[in-house]
Amino acid sequence: MRIYGNEPGEPDVEVAGHRYAALIGGPLDGQRLDVTGWSVQQLLDGAALITDVGAYGPGGRTHTRRA
């Protein structure tokens, strides 16, 4: 699983043929998650992601859902 837009100075690059979901709200707001190959059910269920940013520091979790 790859999240784009979380490193300072990281280029805003999307790979041709890949699908991305915009993460809106929460600690990962404004970043994009590569969802290439995810099933419709996986997209509807959302994703539990481990993140170093947020209220609980490194190893914290955030759950994203389809908006």
Side-chain angles (χ1 to χ4, degrees):
M1 183 175 318
R2 177 80 169 103
I3 297 176
Y4 294 86
N6 60 336
E7 297 296 327
E10 181 178 30
D12 189 19
V13 177
E14 292 187 359
V15 178
H18 283 228
R19 294 185 64 194
Y20 299 88
L23 302 175
I24 301 170
L28 300 176
D29 185 51
Q31 298 178 29
R32 294 176 321 281
L33 176 64
D34 186 343
V35 294
T36 305
W38 288 30
S39 70
V40 171
Q41 190 60 51
Q42 287 173 309
L43 293 171
L44 292 172
D45 288 345
L49 306 172
I50 297 173
T51 178
D52 289 342
V53 295
Y56 303 105
R61 275 115 175 117
T62 182
H63 188 263
T64 60
R65 297 175 194 247
R66 186 174 183 270

